[in-house]
Amino acid sequence: MIESKELQFSIGDRSLLTNFSMTFEAGKIYALVGHNGSGKSTLLKLLAQQQKPTAGNILLNHQSIASWSQKKFAQQVAYLPQQTPSTDSLSGRDLVSFGRYPWHGLLGRLNKEDQQYIDEAMELTDTAGYADRLVDTLSGGERQRLWLAMLLAQRTQYLLLDEPLSALDIAHQVDMLNLIKSLSKNLNLGVIIVIHDINMAARFCDHIVALHSGEMIASGSVDSIFNQDQLQKIYGIKMHISEHPAGYPVAMPY
């Protein structure tokens, strides 16, 4: 599990995250929601060791992440930033193969087992057909599937995803979240995802964590978050809640 204990992050006298404490378990999908600038991406970067906290601590499997080597940590936690690196001249399989680098280093030779993990990751994400395609020629949805395949090839226990839906249309958003939900359940992956659409969070995630001005203001199951008082506290507007025929709640502003 990943545990954050009184986590804080500041730049100068500006606090971006304050006293955040929570436990994230494997096999569950956690949605981080809230206004822009509420601290969602900051929290994800701290959990991914992309930034160091100003105060507090983060534990991975009961051990402070400060004591983990970068290589060992990357074998447990995979992170996809909001702005993904350049993929110039990379094929789909080249991109997915980068997921094996935490196990071998950049100059390490991929062995038969690595190739098997790459094949499995591409099969799970239905991206085998893009193996020889240049990544930059693919659609946004196809590229996001390849990035997800790269994380799966890393064979970690946790996936940290910073707004993976931001550049996708509604059909590809649903497609991506269906895939993430299936992978979480079937592979027992803990997934922490920054997501703007509260209705998508309700439909696909197990637990919602709401942040406002760097503070956690709500945390719980979908049922516990989806009431008018909680949603008004999170978004600052009144919202009408109804039940979708498929069995999940839907919130709409008045």
Side-chain angles (χ1 to χ4, degrees):
M1 64 179 66
I2 297 176
E3 302 170 81
S4 61
K5 296 180 177 292
E6 298 182 354
L7 207 57
Q8 299 188 53
F9 183 75
S10 301
I11 298 178
D13 58 359
R14 182 186 173 203
S15 179
L16 301 182
L17 193 71
T18 305
N19 292 326
F20 185 92
S21 296
M22 185 166 172
T23 298
F24 299 94
E25 300 176 357
K28 292 185 178 181
I29 303 177
Y30 298 83
L32 303 182
V33 305
H35 291 293
N36 288 337
S38 61
K40 305 183 299 295
S41 292
T42 296
L43 172 61
L44 209 65
K45 289 176 183 176
L46 293 173
L47 296 176
Q49 275 200 313
Q50 298 299 303
Q51 293 175 328
K52 292 185 178 181
T54 306
N57 198 9
I58 302 168
L59 307 179
L60 174 60
N61 297 334
H62 308 291
Q63 182 180 343
S64 172
I65 65 171
S67 65
W68 287 73
S69 69
Q70 288 188 342
K71 180 178 179 180
K72 290 295 184 183
F73 183 81
Q75 293 172 4
Q76 294 293 321
V77 178
Y79 169 64
L80 185 65
Q82 187 175 346
Q83 300 295 329
T84 53
S86 172
T87 54
D88 290 347
S89 302
L90 283 179
S91 71
R93 189 174 183 85
D94 289 339
L95 177 58
V96 177
S97 70
F98 287 165
R100 299 306 301 159
Y101 285 172
W103 299 87
H104 297 291
L106 289 176
L107 301 178
R109 183 181 296 274
L110 300 182
N111 59 32
K112 185 176 181 180
E113 183 180 54
D114 296 314
Q115 300 295 348
Q116 178 183 339
Y117 290 150
I118 293 167
D119 289 339
E120 289 176 358
M122 298 189 79
E123 182 178 351
L124 286 168
T125 54
D126 195 24
T127 54
Y130 313 141
D132 298 321
R133 296 271 304 274
L134 290 178
V135 176
D136 289 349
T137 68
L138 300 174
S139 71
E142 291 166 343
R143 287 196 300 270
Q144 284 298 78
R145 277 180 168 263
L146 278 172
W147 282 109
L148 186 58
M150 185 200 73
L151 301 188
L152 292 179
Q154 200 168 324
R155 305 287 286 193
T156 63
Q157 187 178 21
Y158 287 90
L159 306 181
L160 311 186
L161 311 175
D162 195 351
E163 296 192 40
L165 313 177
S166 60
L168 305 182
D169 60 42
I170 186 67
H172 283 103
Q173 288 182 24
V174 172
D175 180 57
M176 179 62 65
L177 286 171
N178 269 318
L179 177 58
I180 290 170
K181 185 173 184 177
S182 173
L183 293 171
S184 174
K185 301 308 176 189
N186 293 334
L187 302 179
N188 196 38
L189 295 173
V191 180
I192 308 173
I193 179 171
V194 174
I195 188 169
H196 281 289
D197 191 329
I198 189 67
N199 292 316
M200 289 291 195
R203 179 175 175 182
F204 292 101
C205 300
D206 302 299
H207 194 107
I208 296 176
V209 181
L211 294 156
H212 193 288
S213 301
E215 295 186 8
M216 182 167 64
I217 58 172
S219 175
S221 65
V222 172
D223 289 341
S224 69
I225 298 297
F226 257 70
N227 61 72
Q228 290 185 342
D229 289 342
Q230 286 279 39
L231 292 180
Q232 184 168 2
K233 183 180 178 183
I234 295 168
Y235 293 105
I237 57 174
K238 291 184 177 180
M239 303 185 80
H240 173 72
I241 301 170
S242 59
E243 190 74 13
H244 191 278
Y248 55 86
V250 176
M252 295 291 291
Y254 277 112

